[in-house]
Short mmCIF file of all heavy atoms in Angstrom, two decimals:
data_model
loop_
_atom_site.label_atom_id
_atom_site.label_comp_id
_atom_site.label_asym_id
_atom_site.label_seq_id
_atom_site.Cartn_x
_atom_site.Cartn_y
_atom_site.Cartn_z
N MET O 21 118.35 81.39 114.73
CA MET O 21 119.54 80.85 114.14
C MET O 21 120.71 81.76 114.50
O MET O 21 120.75 82.91 114.08
CB MET O 21 119.34 80.78 112.63
CG MET O 21 120.47 80.14 111.91
SD MET O 21 119.96 79.70 110.24
CE MET O 21 120.93 80.84 109.32
N PRO O 22 121.65 81.26 115.28
CA PRO O 22 122.77 82.11 115.68
C PRO O 22 123.73 82.36 114.54
O PRO O 22 123.94 81.51 113.67
CB PRO O 22 123.43 81.30 116.80
CG PRO O 22 123.05 79.90 116.52
CD PRO O 22 121.71 79.94 115.86
N ARG O 23 124.32 83.54 114.55
CA ARG O 23 125.31 83.89 113.54
C ARG O 23 126.68 83.54 114.07
O ARG O 23 127.01 83.83 115.21
CB ARG O 23 125.23 85.37 113.21
CG ARG O 23 123.92 85.74 112.56
CD ARG O 23 123.91 87.15 112.18
NE ARG O 23 124.75 87.31 111.01
CZ ARG O 23 124.92 88.46 110.37
NH1 ARG O 23 124.31 89.53 110.78
NH2 ARG O 23 125.69 88.53 109.32
N THR O 24 127.48 82.93 113.23
CA THR O 24 128.85 82.60 113.62
C THR O 24 129.81 83.49 112.86
O THR O 24 129.43 84.20 111.94
CB THR O 24 129.15 81.12 113.31
OG1 THR O 24 129.06 80.93 111.89
CG2 THR O 24 128.19 80.20 114.02
N ASN O 25 131.06 83.43 113.24
CA ASN O 25 132.08 84.23 112.58
C ASN O 25 132.78 83.48 111.45
O ASN O 25 133.83 83.90 111.00
CB ASN O 25 133.11 84.73 113.59
CG ASN O 25 132.53 85.82 114.47
OD1 ASN O 25 131.60 86.51 114.07
ND2 ASN O 25 133.06 85.97 115.66
N THR O 26 132.22 82.37 111.02
CA THR O 26 132.84 81.64 109.92
C THR O 26 132.55 82.35 108.61
O THR O 26 131.43 82.78 108.36
CB THR O 26 132.30 80.19 109.84
OG1 THR O 26 130.89 80.25 109.68
CG2 THR O 26 132.64 79.41 111.10
N PRO O 27 133.56 82.49 107.75
CA PRO O 27 133.34 83.18 106.48
C PRO O 27 132.50 82.33 105.52
O PRO O 27 132.51 81.11 105.58
CB PRO O 27 134.75 83.40 105.94
CG PRO O 27 135.59 82.37 106.61
CD PRO O 27 134.96 82.09 107.94
N MET O 28 131.79 83.02 104.65
CA MET O 28 130.95 82.36 103.67
C MET O 28 131.84 81.86 102.52
O MET O 28 132.70 82.59 102.05
CB MET O 28 129.92 83.36 103.13
CG MET O 28 128.88 82.76 102.23
SD MET O 28 127.73 84.01 101.60
CE MET O 28 127.00 84.63 103.08
N PRO O 29 131.63 80.63 102.06
CA PRO O 29 132.43 80.14 100.93
C PRO O 29 132.23 81.00 99.67
O PRO O 29 131.16 81.57 99.45
CB PRO O 29 131.90 78.72 100.69
CG PRO O 29 131.20 78.35 101.95
CD PRO O 29 130.72 79.62 102.57
N LYS O 30 133.27 81.09 98.86
CA LYS O 30 133.21 81.94 97.66
C LYS O 30 132.17 81.46 96.66
O LYS O 30 131.58 82.26 95.96
CB LYS O 30 134.59 82.00 97.01
CG LYS O 30 135.57 82.78 97.84
CD LYS O 30 136.88 82.97 97.14
CE LYS O 30 137.81 83.71 98.09
NZ LYS O 30 138.85 84.42 97.42
N VAL O 31 131.94 80.16 96.62
CA VAL O 31 130.92 79.64 95.70
C VAL O 31 129.54 80.13 96.11
O VAL O 31 128.74 80.55 95.26
CB VAL O 31 130.96 78.09 95.67
CG1 VAL O 31 129.81 77.52 94.88
CG2 VAL O 31 132.29 77.60 95.14
N VAL O 32 129.26 80.12 97.38
CA VAL O 32 127.96 80.59 97.87
C VAL O 32 127.82 82.09 97.60
O VAL O 32 126.76 82.57 97.20
CB VAL O 32 127.80 80.28 99.38
CG1 VAL O 32 126.52 80.87 99.93
CG2 VAL O 32 127.83 78.78 99.61
N ARG O 33 128.90 82.84 97.81
CA ARG O 33 128.87 84.28 97.54
C ARG O 33 128.56 84.53 96.07
O ARG O 33 127.75 85.38 95.73
CB ARG O 33 130.20 84.91 97.92
CG ARG O 33 130.45 84.91 99.41
CD ARG O 33 131.81 85.44 99.74
NE ARG O 33 131.86 86.85 99.38
CZ ARG O 33 132.93 87.60 99.47
NH1 ARG O 33 134.06 87.08 99.90
NH2 ARG O 33 132.90 88.87 99.15
N ALA O 34 129.23 83.80 95.18
CA ALA O 34 129.01 83.98 93.75
C ALA O 34 127.58 83.60 93.37
O ALA O 34 126.95 84.29 92.54
CB ALA O 34 130.01 83.15 92.95
N LEU O 35 127.06 82.53 93.95
CA LEU O 35 125.69 82.12 93.66
C LEU O 35 124.68 83.16 94.15
O LEU O 35 123.70 83.45 93.45
CB LEU O 35 125.39 80.76 94.28
CG LEU O 35 125.97 79.56 93.56
CD1 LEU O 35 125.75 78.29 94.37
CD2 LEU O 35 125.37 79.41 92.18
N LEU O 36 124.91 83.72 95.32
CA LEU O 36 124.00 84.76 95.82
C LEU O 36 123.98 85.96 94.89
O LEU O 36 122.93 86.50 94.57
CB LEU O 36 124.41 85.20 97.23
CG LEU O 36 123.97 84.31 98.38
CD1 LEU O 36 124.62 84.77 99.68
CD2 LEU O 36 122.47 84.30 98.51
N MET O 37 125.16 86.38 94.44
CA MET O 37 125.22 87.53 93.54
C MET O 37 124.57 87.21 92.20
O MET O 37 123.83 88.04 91.65
CB MET O 37 126.66 87.98 93.36
CG MET O 37 127.22 88.65 94.59
SD MET O 37 128.85 89.37 94.36
CE MET O 37 129.88 87.93 94.37
N ALA O 38 124.81 86.01 91.68
CA ALA O 38 124.22 85.64 90.39
C ALA O 38 122.71 85.54 90.48
O ALA O 38 121.99 86.01 89.59
CB ALA O 38 124.81 84.30 89.93
N VAL O 39 122.21 84.95 91.55
CA VAL O 39 120.76 84.83 91.71
C VAL O 39 120.13 86.20 91.90
O VAL O 39 119.05 86.48 91.38
CB VAL O 39 120.42 83.88 92.88
CG1 VAL O 39 118.96 83.95 93.26
CG2 VAL O 39 120.80 82.46 92.53
N GLY O 40 120.80 87.08 92.63
CA GLY O 40 120.29 88.44 92.81
C GLY O 40 120.16 89.19 91.49
O GLY O 40 119.15 89.83 91.23
N VAL O 41 121.19 89.10 90.66
CA VAL O 41 121.14 89.74 89.35
C VAL O 41 120.05 89.10 88.49
O VAL O 41 119.31 89.79 87.78
CB VAL O 41 122.51 89.67 88.66
CG1 VAL O 41 122.43 90.09 87.21
CG2 VAL O 41 123.52 90.52 89.41
N LEU O 42 119.91 87.79 88.58
CA LEU O 42 118.88 87.08 87.82
C LEU O 42 117.48 87.50 88.27
O LEU O 42 116.59 87.73 87.43
CB LEU O 42 119.06 85.58 87.98
CG LEU O 42 118.14 84.69 87.15
CD1 LEU O 42 118.51 84.83 85.67
CD2 LEU O 42 118.27 83.25 87.58
N VAL O 43 117.27 87.63 89.56
CA VAL O 43 115.97 88.05 90.09
C VAL O 43 115.62 89.44 89.58
O VAL O 43 114.50 89.69 89.11
CB VAL O 43 115.96 88.01 91.63
CG1 VAL O 43 114.80 88.80 92.21
CG2 VAL O 43 115.92 86.59 92.12
N ILE O 44 116.58 90.36 89.62
CA ILE O 44 116.32 91.72 89.15
C ILE O 44 116.04 91.71 87.65
O ILE O 44 115.09 92.35 87.18
CB ILE O 44 117.50 92.64 89.50
CG1 ILE O 44 117.58 92.84 91.01
CG2 ILE O 44 117.36 93.99 88.80
CD1 ILE O 44 118.83 93.56 91.47
N GLY O 45 116.85 91.00 86.87
CA GLY O 45 116.68 90.97 85.42
C GLY O 45 115.37 90.34 84.97
O GLY O 45 114.62 90.93 84.19
N VAL O 46 115.09 89.15 85.48
CA VAL O 46 113.85 88.46 85.09
C VAL O 46 112.63 89.21 85.60
O VAL O 46 111.63 89.35 84.90
CB VAL O 46 113.87 87.00 85.59
CG1 VAL O 46 112.53 86.33 85.42
CG2 VAL O 46 114.94 86.21 84.87
N GLY O 47 112.73 89.73 86.82
CA GLY O 47 111.62 90.50 87.37
C GLY O 47 111.32 91.74 86.55
O GLY O 47 110.17 92.06 86.29
N ALA O 48 112.37 92.43 86.13
CA ALA O 48 112.17 93.64 85.32
C ALA O 48 111.52 93.30 83.98
O ALA O 48 110.62 94.01 83.52
CB ALA O 48 113.50 94.34 85.10
N VAL O 49 111.96 92.23 83.35
CA VAL O 49 111.38 91.83 82.06
C VAL O 49 109.92 91.42 82.22
O VAL O 49 109.05 91.86 81.46
CB VAL O 49 112.21 90.69 81.43
CG1 VAL O 49 111.48 90.08 80.24
CG2 VAL O 49 113.58 91.20 81.00
N LEU O 50 109.62 90.61 83.22
CA LEU O 50 108.24 90.17 83.43
C LEU O 50 107.32 91.34 83.79
O LEU O 50 106.19 91.42 83.30
CB LEU O 50 108.18 89.10 84.51
CG LEU O 50 108.76 87.74 84.13
CD1 LEU O 50 108.70 86.79 85.33
CD2 LEU O 50 108.03 87.15 82.94
N LEU O 51 107.81 92.24 84.63
CA LEU O 51 106.98 93.39 85.00
C LEU O 51 106.80 94.34 83.82
O LEU O 51 105.75 94.97 83.69
CB LEU O 51 107.59 94.10 86.20
CG LEU O 51 107.54 93.31 87.50
CD1 LEU O 51 108.35 94.00 88.58
CD2 LEU O 51 106.12 93.08 87.95
N PHE O 52 107.79 94.44 82.95
CA PHE O 52 107.65 95.27 81.76
C PHE O 52 106.56 94.71 80.85
O PHE O 52 105.73 95.45 80.32
CB PHE O 52 108.98 95.36 81.01
CG PHE O 52 108.91 96.16 79.76
CD1 PHE O 52 108.89 97.55 79.81
CD2 PHE O 52 108.87 95.54 78.52
CE1 PHE O 52 108.82 98.30 78.65
CE2 PHE O 52 108.81 96.27 77.36
CZ PHE O 52 108.77 97.66 77.41
N VAL O 53 106.56 93.39 80.67
CA VAL O 53 105.54 92.75 79.83
C VAL O 53 104.16 92.90 80.47
O VAL O 53 103.18 93.18 79.78
CB VAL O 53 105.89 91.27 79.60
CG1 VAL O 53 104.75 90.52 78.94
CG2 VAL O 53 107.15 91.15 78.77
N TRP O 54 104.06 92.75 81.78
CA TRP O 54 102.79 92.86 82.47
C TRP O 54 102.27 94.29 82.44
O TRP O 54 101.07 94.53 82.46
CB TRP O 54 102.95 92.37 83.90
CG TRP O 54 101.69 92.27 84.70
CD1 TRP O 54 100.49 91.78 84.27
CD2 TRP O 54 101.49 92.67 86.04
NE1 TRP O 54 99.56 91.85 85.28
CE2 TRP O 54 100.14 92.39 86.38
CE3 TRP O 54 102.31 93.23 87.00
CZ2 TRP O 54 99.62 92.66 87.63
CZ3 TRP O 54 101.78 93.48 88.26
CH2 TRP O 54 100.47 93.21 88.56
N HIS O 55 103.18 95.27 82.36
CA HIS O 55 102.79 96.68 82.39
C HIS O 55 101.88 97.05 81.21
O HIS O 55 100.98 97.87 81.36
CB HIS O 55 104.04 97.56 82.39
CG HIS O 55 103.74 99.01 82.53
ND1 HIS O 55 103.67 99.85 81.46
CD2 HIS O 55 103.50 99.76 83.64
CE1 HIS O 55 103.39 101.06 81.89
NE2 HIS O 55 103.29 101.04 83.20
N THR O 56 102.08 96.43 80.06
CA THR O 56 101.25 96.74 78.90
C THR O 56 99.79 96.35 79.14
O THR O 56 98.89 97.03 78.66
CB THR O 56 101.76 96.04 77.64
OG1 THR O 56 101.78 94.63 77.86
CG2 THR O 56 103.16 96.52 77.28
N HIS O 57 99.56 95.30 79.89
CA HIS O 57 98.18 94.88 80.20
C HIS O 57 97.52 95.86 81.17
O HIS O 57 96.31 96.07 81.11
CB HIS O 57 98.16 93.47 80.79
CG HIS O 57 98.69 92.44 79.84
ND1 HIS O 57 98.05 92.11 78.67
CD2 HIS O 57 99.81 91.68 79.88
CE1 HIS O 57 98.74 91.18 78.04
NE2 HIS O 57 99.83 90.90 78.76
N ILE O 58 98.29 96.44 82.06
CA ILE O 58 97.73 97.39 83.03
C ILE O 58 97.34 98.69 82.35
O ILE O 58 96.32 99.30 82.68
CB ILE O 58 98.74 97.64 84.17
CG1 ILE O 58 98.91 96.35 84.97
CG2 ILE O 58 98.28 98.77 85.08
CD1 ILE O 58 99.98 96.43 86.01
N VAL O 59 98.12 99.13 81.38
CA VAL O 59 97.83 100.38 80.68
C VAL O 59 96.50 100.29 79.94
O VAL O 59 95.77 101.29 79.83
CB VAL O 59 98.98 100.73 79.72
CG1 VAL O 59 98.63 101.91 78.83
CG2 VAL O 59 100.24 101.03 80.50
N ASP O 60 96.13 99.11 79.47
CA ASP O 60 94.88 98.92 78.73
C ASP O 60 93.65 98.93 79.63
O ASP O 60 92.53 99.07 79.14
CB ASP O 60 94.91 97.60 77.96
CG ASP O 60 95.95 97.60 76.87
OD1 ASP O 60 96.34 98.69 76.43
OD2 ASP O 60 96.39 96.50 76.48
N ARG O 61 93.82 98.81 80.92
CA ARG O 61 92.69 98.75 81.86
C ARG O 61 92.20 100.16 82.20
O ARG O 61 92.87 101.15 81.97
CB ARG O 61 93.10 98.04 83.14
CG ARG O 61 93.67 96.67 82.93
CD ARG O 61 92.61 95.69 82.51
NE ARG O 61 93.20 94.36 82.43
CZ ARG O 61 92.95 93.51 81.47
NH1 ARG O 61 92.13 93.83 80.51
NH2 ARG O 61 93.51 92.34 81.45
N THR O 62 91.03 100.22 82.80
CA THR O 62 90.48 101.50 83.26
C THR O 62 89.88 101.32 84.64
O THR O 62 89.57 100.20 85.07
CB THR O 62 89.38 102.03 82.31
OG1 THR O 62 88.35 101.05 82.23
CG2 THR O 62 89.93 102.31 80.94
N GLY O 63 89.69 102.42 85.33
CA GLY O 63 88.95 102.41 86.59
C GLY O 63 89.72 101.83 87.76
O GLY O 63 90.94 101.91 87.84
N ALA O 64 88.96 101.23 88.68
CA ALA O 64 89.52 100.72 89.93
C ALA O 64 90.49 99.56 89.67
O ALA O 64 91.47 99.39 90.39
CB ALA O 64 88.41 100.27 90.86
N TYR O 65 90.19 98.75 88.63
CA TYR O 65 91.08 97.63 88.33
C TYR O 65 92.47 98.14 87.97
O TYR O 65 93.47 97.57 88.38
CB TYR O 65 90.51 96.77 87.20
CG TYR O 65 91.42 95.62 86.86
CD1 TYR O 65 91.43 94.48 87.66
CD2 TYR O 65 92.28 95.67 85.77
CE1 TYR O 65 92.27 93.42 87.37
CE2 TYR O 65 93.12 94.62 85.48
CZ TYR O 65 93.11 93.49 86.27
OH TYR O 65 93.95 92.45 85.99
N ARG O 66 92.53 99.22 87.21
CA ARG O 66 93.82 99.79 86.82
C ARG O 66 94.57 100.30 88.05
O ARG O 66 95.78 100.12 88.16
CB ARG O 66 93.63 100.92 85.82
CG ARG O 66 94.94 101.51 85.37
CD ARG O 66 94.74 102.56 84.32
NE ARG O 66 96.03 103.10 83.90
CZ ARG O 66 96.18 103.99 82.96
NH1 ARG O 66 95.13 104.45 82.32
NH2 ARG O 66 97.38 104.43 82.65
N LEU O 67 93.85 100.92 88.97
CA LEU O 67 94.48 101.42 90.19
C LEU O 67 95.06 100.27 91.01
O LEU O 67 96.21 100.32 91.44
CB LEU O 67 93.47 102.21 91.03
CG LEU O 67 93.97 102.68 92.39
CD1 LEU O 67 95.09 103.69 92.23
CD2 LEU O 67 92.84 103.24 93.20
N MET O 68 94.26 99.23 91.22
CA MET O 68 94.73 98.10 92.02
C MET O 68 95.87 97.36 91.34
O MET O 68 96.84 96.97 91.97
CB MET O 68 93.57 97.14 92.31
CG MET O 68 92.48 97.75 93.18
SD MET O 68 93.10 98.49 94.70
CE MET O 68 93.58 97.05 95.59
N ALA O 69 95.76 97.18 90.02
CA ALA O 69 96.84 96.51 89.29
C ALA O 69 98.10 97.36 89.29
O ALA O 69 99.22 96.84 89.39
CB ALA O 69 96.39 96.22 87.87
N GLY O 70 97.94 98.67 89.19
CA GLY O 70 99.10 99.56 89.25
C GLY O 70 99.79 99.51 90.60
O GLY O 70 101.02 99.49 90.69
N LEU O 71 99.01 99.48 91.68
CA LEU O 71 99.59 99.36 93.01
C LEU O 71 100.28 98.01 93.19
O LEU O 71 101.36 97.94 93.79
CB LEU O 71 98.50 99.54 94.07
CG LEU O 71 97.92 100.95 94.19
CD1 LEU O 71 96.77 100.95 95.18
CD2 LEU O 71 98.99 101.93 94.60
N ALA O 72 99.68 96.95 92.66
CA ALA O 72 100.31 95.63 92.73
C ALA O 72 101.62 95.62 91.94
O ALA O 72 102.61 95.02 92.37
CB ALA O 72 99.37 94.56 92.21
N LEU O 73 101.62 96.29 90.79
CA LEU O 73 102.84 96.37 89.98
C LEU O 73 103.95 97.10 90.74
O LEU O 73 105.09 96.64 90.76
CB LEU O 73 102.55 97.09 88.66
CG LEU O 73 103.76 97.31 87.74
CD1 LEU O 73 104.24 95.98 87.19
CD2 LEU O 73 103.41 98.26 86.64
N ARG O 74 103.62 98.20 91.37
CA ARG O 74 104.62 98.95 92.14
C ARG O 74 105.15 98.13 93.32
O ARG O 74 106.33 98.15 93.63
CB ARG O 74 104.05 100.27 92.64
CG ARG O 74 103.64 101.20 91.54
CD ARG O 74 104.83 101.60 90.68
NE ARG O 74 104.38 102.40 89.56
CZ ARG O 74 104.68 102.16 88.30
NH1 ARG O 74 105.44 101.15 87.99
NH2 ARG O 74 104.23 102.93 87.35
N ALA O 75 104.27 97.40 93.97
CA ALA O 75 104.70 96.55 95.09
C ALA O 75 105.60 95.43 94.60
O ALA O 75 106.62 95.11 95.23
CB ALA O 75 103.48 95.98 95.81
N ALA O 76 105.26 94.84 93.45
CA ALA O 76 106.09 93.77 92.88
C ALA O 76 107.45 94.32 92.45
O ALA O 76 108.48 93.67 92.66
CB ALA O 76 105.37 93.12 91.71
N GLU O 77 107.47 95.52 91.87
CA GLU O 77 108.75 96.14 91.48
C GLU O 77 109.62 96.37 92.71
O GLU O 77 110.82 96.09 92.68
CB GLU O 77 108.50 97.48 90.79
CG GLU O 77 107.97 97.36 89.39
CD GLU O 77 107.61 98.72 88.80
OE1 GLU O 77 107.58 99.72 89.56
OE2 GLU O 77 107.35 98.78 87.60
N ALA O 78 109.02 96.88 93.78
CA ALA O 78 109.78 97.12 94.99
C ALA O 78 110.33 95.81 95.57
O ALA O 78 111.49 95.75 96.00
CB ALA O 78 108.91 97.83 96.02
N ALA O 79 109.51 94.76 95.55
CA ALA O 79 109.95 93.47 96.08
C ALA O 79 111.09 92.89 95.25
O ALA O 79 112.06 92.36 95.80
CB ALA O 79 108.77 92.50 96.12
N VAL O 80 110.98 92.98 93.93
CA VAL O 80 112.03 92.45 93.06
C VAL O 80 113.33 93.21 93.26
O VAL O 80 114.40 92.62 93.40
CB VAL O 80 111.58 92.51 91.58
CG1 VAL O 80 112.74 92.36 90.63
CG2 VAL O 80 110.53 91.43 91.31
N LEU O 81 113.25 94.54 93.29
CA LEU O 81 114.47 95.33 93.46
C LEU O 81 115.07 95.14 94.84
O LEU O 81 116.29 95.00 94.99
CB LEU O 81 114.18 96.81 93.20
CG LEU O 81 113.91 97.16 91.75
CD1 LEU O 81 113.53 98.63 91.63
CD2 LEU O 81 115.12 96.86 90.89
N TYR O 82 114.25 95.14 95.87
CA TYR O 82 114.76 94.96 97.23
C TYR O 82 115.35 93.56 97.40
O TYR O 82 116.46 93.40 97.93
CB TYR O 82 113.66 95.19 98.26
CG TYR O 82 114.14 94.97 99.67
CD1 TYR O 82 114.88 95.94 100.33
CD2 TYR O 82 113.86 93.78 100.34
CE1 TYR O 82 115.34 95.73 101.62
CE2 TYR O 82 114.31 93.57 101.63
CZ TYR O 82 115.05 94.54 102.27
OH TYR O 82 115.50 94.31 103.53
N GLY O 83 114.62 92.54 96.99
CA GLY O 83 115.09 91.17 97.15
C GLY O 83 116.36 90.89 96.36
O GLY O 83 117.31 90.29 96.86
N GLY O 84 116.38 91.32 95.10
CA GLY O 84 117.57 91.10 94.27
C GLY O 84 118.77 91.84 94.79
O GLY O 84 119.88 91.29 94.86
N SER O 85 118.59 93.09 95.19
CA SER O 85 119.73 93.86 95.71
C SER O 85 120.20 93.30 97.04
O SER O 85 121.40 93.29 97.33
CB SER O 85 119.38 95.33 95.81
OG SER O 85 118.34 95.53 96.74
N TRP O 86 119.28 92.79 97.87
CA TRP O 86 119.68 92.19 99.14
C TRP O 86 120.56 90.97 98.89
O TRP O 86 121.58 90.79 99.55
CB TRP O 86 118.45 91.78 99.95
CG TRP O 86 118.79 91.26 101.31
CD1 TRP O 86 118.94 91.97 102.45
CD2 TRP O 86 119.06 89.89 101.65
NE1 TRP O 86 119.27 91.14 103.48
CE2 TRP O 86 119.36 89.86 103.04
CE3 TRP O 86 119.06 88.69 100.93
CZ2 TRP O 86 119.66 88.67 103.70
CZ3 TRP O 86 119.37 87.52 101.60
CH2 TRP O 86 119.67 87.51 102.97
N LEU O 87 120.17 90.15 97.92
CA LEU O 87 120.98 88.97 97.60
C LEU O 87 122.37 89.37 97.10
O LEU O 87 123.38 88.77 97.49
CB LEU O 87 120.27 88.11 96.55
CG LEU O 87 119.05 87.34 97.02
CD1 LEU O 87 118.31 86.74 95.84
CD2 LEU O 87 119.45 86.26 98.00
N VAL O 88 122.43 90.35 96.22
CA VAL O 88 123.71 90.78 95.68
C VAL O 88 124.61 91.34 96.79
O VAL O 88 125.78 90.99 96.89
CB VAL O 88 123.52 91.82 94.55
CG1 VAL O 88 124.84 92.43 94.14
CG2 VAL O 88 122.85 91.17 93.35
N VAL O 89 124.06 92.19 97.62
CA VAL O 89 124.86 92.79 98.70
C VAL O 89 125.28 91.73 99.71
O VAL O 89 126.43 91.73 100.18
CB VAL O 89 124.07 93.94 99.38
CG1 VAL O 89 124.75 94.41 100.64
CG2 VAL O 89 123.91 95.08 98.40
N ARG O 90 124.40 90.83 100.03
CA ARG O 90 124.75 89.75 100.98
C ARG O 90 125.87 88.89 100.41
O ARG O 90 126.81 88.52 101.13
CB ARG O 90 123.52 88.90 101.26
CG ARG O 90 123.75 87.75 102.18
CD ARG O 90 123.83 88.24 103.61
NE ARG O 90 123.79 87.08 104.48
CZ ARG O 90 124.61 86.90 105.49
NH1 ARG O 90 125.49 87.80 105.79
NH2 ARG O 90 124.53 85.83 106.23
N GLY O 91 125.81 88.58 99.12
CA GLY O 91 126.89 87.82 98.50
C GLY O 91 128.18 88.61 98.43
O GLY O 91 129.27 88.08 98.62
N TRP O 92 128.08 89.88 98.13
CA TRP O 92 129.27 90.72 98.01
C TRP O 92 129.97 90.86 99.36
O TRP O 92 131.19 90.77 99.45
CB TRP O 92 128.88 92.09 97.46
CG TRP O 92 130.05 92.98 97.24
CD1 TRP O 92 130.56 93.90 98.09
CD2 TRP O 92 130.88 93.03 96.08
NE1 TRP O 92 131.65 94.53 97.54
CE2 TRP O 92 131.86 94.01 96.30
CE3 TRP O 92 130.88 92.33 94.87
CZ2 TRP O 92 132.84 94.31 95.36
CZ3 TRP O 92 131.84 92.65 93.94
CH2 TRP O 92 132.81 93.61 94.18
N ASN O 93 129.20 91.08 100.42
CA ASN O 93 129.79 91.27 101.74
C ASN O 93 130.32 89.96 102.33
O ASN O 93 131.25 89.98 103.11
CB ASN O 93 128.79 91.89 102.70
CG ASN O 93 128.52 93.34 102.36
OD1 ASN O 93 129.33 94.01 101.73
ND2 ASN O 93 127.38 93.83 102.79
N GLY O 94 129.71 88.86 101.98
CA GLY O 94 130.23 87.55 102.40
C GLY O 94 129.95 87.16 103.83
O GLY O 94 130.58 86.26 104.35
N GLY O 95 129.04 87.78 104.49
CA GLY O 95 128.68 87.37 105.83
C GLY O 95 129.40 88.15 106.90
O GLY O 95 130.10 89.12 106.64
N PRO O 96 129.26 87.70 108.15
CA PRO O 96 129.83 88.45 109.26
C PRO O 96 131.35 88.39 109.27
O PRO O 96 131.96 87.43 108.82
CB PRO O 96 129.24 87.76 110.49
CG PRO O 96 128.91 86.38 110.03
CD PRO O 96 128.56 86.50 108.58
N ARG O 97 131.96 89.42 109.81
CA ARG O 97 133.41 89.50 109.95
C ARG O 97 133.79 89.21 111.40
O ARG O 97 133.02 89.52 112.32
CB ARG O 97 133.92 90.90 109.57
CG ARG O 97 133.60 91.28 108.15
CD ARG O 97 134.58 90.55 107.21
NE ARG O 97 134.41 91.00 105.84
CZ ARG O 97 133.74 90.33 104.93
NH1 ARG O 97 133.17 89.21 105.22
NH2 ARG O 97 133.66 90.79 103.70
N PRO O 98 134.95 88.64 111.63
CA PRO O 98 135.37 88.41 113.02
C PRO O 98 135.53 89.73 113.77
O PRO O 98 136.01 90.71 113.21
CB PRO O 98 136.72 87.72 112.89
CG PRO O 98 136.91 87.40 111.46
CD PRO O 98 135.91 88.15 110.67
N ARG O 99 135.08 89.75 114.98
CA ARG O 99 135.20 90.95 115.81
C ARG O 99 136.58 90.99 116.45
O ARG O 99 137.12 89.98 116.86
CB ARG O 99 134.13 90.96 116.90
CG ARG O 99 132.75 91.06 116.32
CD ARG O 99 131.73 91.15 117.40
NE ARG O 99 130.41 91.18 116.78
CZ ARG O 99 129.31 91.35 117.45
NH1 ARG O 99 129.35 91.46 118.76
NH2 ARG O 99 128.16 91.37 116.85
N THR O 100 137.11 92.18 116.53
CA THR O 100 138.44 92.33 117.13
C THR O 100 138.37 92.86 118.53
O THR O 100 137.44 93.44 118.96
CB THR O 100 139.32 93.26 116.28
OG1 THR O 100 138.66 94.51 116.17
CG2 THR O 100 139.57 92.66 114.93
#
């Protein structure tokens, strides 16, 4: 998909930022609730669930922040 120099509409930028904040917020709440179930586990299951939790946290933070930054920047700028 080629990138063009057309600016991103402000509505799309606002939606990207809102969805990014929503992803981070909802993800943090869901992972916080899920964390209590992991603490109750023992052994290998706790290790695997803990690793899955860390991977999910990284994905939520990376994905949400990417959306916010992409919306904030508004796409490519014309080259001079």
